[in-house]
Amino acid sequence: MVEGYTAGFPSEVVKEGSVEVLVPKLSAYGVVPSDYAPSRAPVFYNPVMEFNRDLSVLAFRAYQRLVDQEISVCEPLTSQGIRGLRYATEIEGVGRVLLGDINYHAYELAQHNISRNGLQGKIVLEHKDANNMLSSNASPKKRFDIVDIDPFGTPVPYLDSAVRALKNKGLLAVTATDLAPLCGVHTKACVRKYGGKPLRTEYCHELAIRLLSGCIAQMAAKHDLGVKILFSHSSDHYIRVYAQIYYGCQRADESLKNTGYILHCFNCLHRETVHQLFSSLICPECGTKMDYAGPLWVGHINSEAYVNQIFAESQVVVFRKNGRRITKFLETIKAEAEAPITYYVLDQVSKKLGLPAISLQAFIGALQDRGYEVVPTHFSSRGIKVNTSAAVIKEAFKTVVEGNV
């Protein structure tokens, strides 16, 4: 521990996972965690993201078992250091850990927290711009096994330098909290940043993950790198994507085959996937002109095998606060890993038909009776994924309502 260190602003010690860190005292800034604005304190800290950090630990443990070797980690936006400290202590087989932040108050606080936890010999901390740090480690012998980009807002400004700083088969973990553009509230901002058009639909959070994944694939392809999306999720106020990077122009070309467009009919709820846009976007079910989202990732956004390994890790490392939530969360994601693109939300179907709401269980049962495989989705507690048409969805919904009358 740094002797005599004082943060110079209201602070408190918190314990998370296996580390103990000094962080800004949120109550001193007149906010609660759910509406915390980073500009109100000299160093960013958000306790709501503990769930994100817990899942990251499990996902990185699963990756380390996948590669079965000592791994290196870089987190260039470390703030007070809690995320990087947890990686250094809670993931077996972690060797080199490089943390950094351009904010000098954050750098000092992170240095104190590294010392407080006795990790001086395992973690290197730099006071440096994130892109500068990543670019300076982009040469073959300096690259990392894992790069974690966890900003407040969009991660896009860091993606180019992040993919260049990864080894072959390295893992890129990316968080995006700017859901307003990604979910279609600010369309132009999404097109500018992510290179794809969003849609304000009931399944916009899945579109957000696919837009971010497509952006990663496009960025990687510019450097002859391919990607495979191993794990992704939408939680609280953000989305998170874990993409494995593969060297080679052929792998890049294969990745780009997983980009395309999702067509959506706002009149009858029909949706479909295409790889190219055509001049006519007429809905095959009702004849109305459809809208579209993309280009975006249309491949799988979760690997069932990888999620299984994350789940196995969650049974070994149990987090007292979020353990039950994580177990249920991973079980749901595992079940929907091979499910069709997009999901239906019962409340939206109810609104479209002008019918009363029904229970999720009754609706799933009605579709299963018709021979369809149905799975709930982690994106929405009232959402399902099923390989059938919007017409069947509406017909099954009406049947359940009529049966309840």
Side-chain angles (χ1 to χ4, degrees):
M1 189 182 303
V2 179
E3 293 294 336
Y5 173 83
T6 56
F9 51 84
S11 57
E12 61 182 343
V13 174
V14 299
K15 191 177 188 311
E16 183 179 297
S18 62
V19 301
E20 185 180 88
V21 295
L22 189 67
V23 300
K25 190 172 184 179
L26 298 186
S27 60
Y29 299 94
V31 292
V32 296
S34 60
D35 65 5
Y36 178 58
S39 61
R40 297 191 188 183
V43 177
F44 179 68
Y45 166 65
N46 190 351
V48 171
M49 295 297 274
E50 182 177 351
F51 181 73
N52 179 309
R53 293 186 285 266
D54 287 348
L55 278 174
S56 297
V57 167
L58 297 174
F60 292 170
R61 284 174 62 95
Y63 172 78
Q64 194 278 328
R65 295 199 187 279
L66 177 68
V67 297
D68 193 26
Q69 64 184 33
E70 185 177 270
I71 61 174
S72 55
V73 182
C74 179
E75 192 213 349
L77 300 162
T78 199
S79 190
Q80 23 53 40
I82 191 170
R83 183 179 289 269
L85 268 66
R86 291 192 61 185
Y87 297 160
T89 58
E90 297 175 33
I91 303 171
E92 298 176 11
V94 169
R96 176 187 174 209
V97 178
L98 179 62
L99 308 180
D101 206 290
I102 196 171
N103 181 332
Y104 193 72
H105 292 295
Y107 169 78
E108 286 189 316
L109 187 56
Q111 187 68 64
H112 166 76
N113 286 328
I114 291 169
S115 179
R116 170 185 284 272
N117 289 274
L119 293 170
Q120 303 94 319
K122 197 167 189 177
I123 297 178
V124 174
L125 176 69
E126 295 182 357
H127 176 224
K128 188 179 287 187
D129 169 75
N131 281 317
N132 188 340
M133 172 183 286
L134 291 166
S135 295
S136 64
N137 286 276
S139 59
K141 293 184 179 180
K142 291 185 176 181
R143 292 171 187 157
F144 303 96
D145 295 287
I146 296 175
V147 172
D148 189 348
I149 304 297
D150 186 66
F152 184 85
T154 178
V156 173
Y158 312 102
L159 294 183
D160 184 85
S161 54
V163 296
R164 290 187 290 110
L166 277 164
K167 296 177 182 179
N168 188 28
K169 299 184 181 179
L171 185 68
L172 175 64
V174 181
T175 303
T177 63
D178 57 331
L179 292 188
L182 285 165
C183 286
V185 178
H186 305 302
T187 300
K188 291 181 180 179
C190 185
V191 173
R192 283 197 311 272
K193 295 175 183 178
Y194 294 91
K197 176 179 172 293
L199 273 182
R200 293 191 71 177
T201 66
E202 62 272 25
Y203 54 89
C204 67
H205 288 92
E206 179 175 343
L207 292 180
I209 282 179
R210 293 186 178 280
L211 284 162
L212 174 56
S213 299
C215 181
I216 293 171
Q218 292 281 356
M219 191 71 71
K222 294 175 182 178
H223 299 284
D224 289 337
L225 303 171
V227 302
K228 178 182 180 182
I229 309 303
L230 295 182
F231 179 46
S232 67
H233 62 91
S234 170
S235 311
D236 303 317
H237 60 282
Y238 64 89
I239 58 171
R240 178 88 159 157
V241 172
Y242 298 79
Q244 191 167 21
I245 302 297
Y246 294 88
Y247 287 9
C249 57
Q250 289 185 336
R251 297 304 294 263
D253 291 340
E254 289 173 11
S255 291
L256 294 181
K257 291 178 182 177
N258 282 309
T259 59
Y261 301 83
I262 293 176
L263 310 183
H264 181 85
C265 178
F266 283 96
N267 183 57
C268 72
L269 303 183
H270 170 75
R271 68 283 305 266
E272 61 184 87
T273 303
V274 297
H275 287 282
Q276 297 290 336
L277 284 179
F278 300 97
S279 57
S280 177
L281 300 176
I282 303 303
C283 176
E285 291 199 10
C286 71
T288 302
K289 186 176 181 180
M290 295 186 289
D291 206 340
Y292 71 92
L296 43 66
W297 185 263
V298 294
H300 289 305
I301 54 175
N302 281 292
S303 161
E304 187 174 2
Y306 190 69
V307 177
N308 277 333
Q309 186 59 55
I310 297 174
F311 184 82
E313 295 299 324
S314 74
Q315 304 305 296
V316 176
V317 183
V318 180
F319 302 115
R320 182 174 299 177
K321 180 179 178 181
N322 292 314
R324 290 184 179 178
R325 180 187 176 190
I326 287 172
T327 296
K328 183 178 180 181
F329 193 74
L330 291 174
E331 286 176 339
T332 303
I333 292 178
K334 182 169 58 173
E336 67 175 315
E338 303 295 325
I341 292 178
T342 78
Y343 54 93
Y344 292 89
V345 177
L346 269 64
D347 299 333
Q348 184 65 22
V349 179
S350 171
K351 180 180 178 181
K352 178 60 64 175
L353 295 174
L355 295 173
I358 60 176
S359 75
L360 184 67
Q361 291 72 23
F363 188 55
I364 290 175
L367 287 168
Q368 289 175 334
D369 289 345
R370 287 163 172 76
Y372 297 107
E373 292 186 11
V374 189
V375 293
T377 175
H378 83 280
F379 288 106
S380 170
S381 61
R382 296 276 289 167
I384 60 160
K385 290 196 167 217
V386 57
N387 189 21
T388 189
S389 66
V392 171
I393 291 288
K394 291 182 287 186
E395 185 270 330
F397 194 99
K398 290 177 182 178
T399 300
V400 174
V401 173
E402 291 169 358
N404 291 337
V405 174

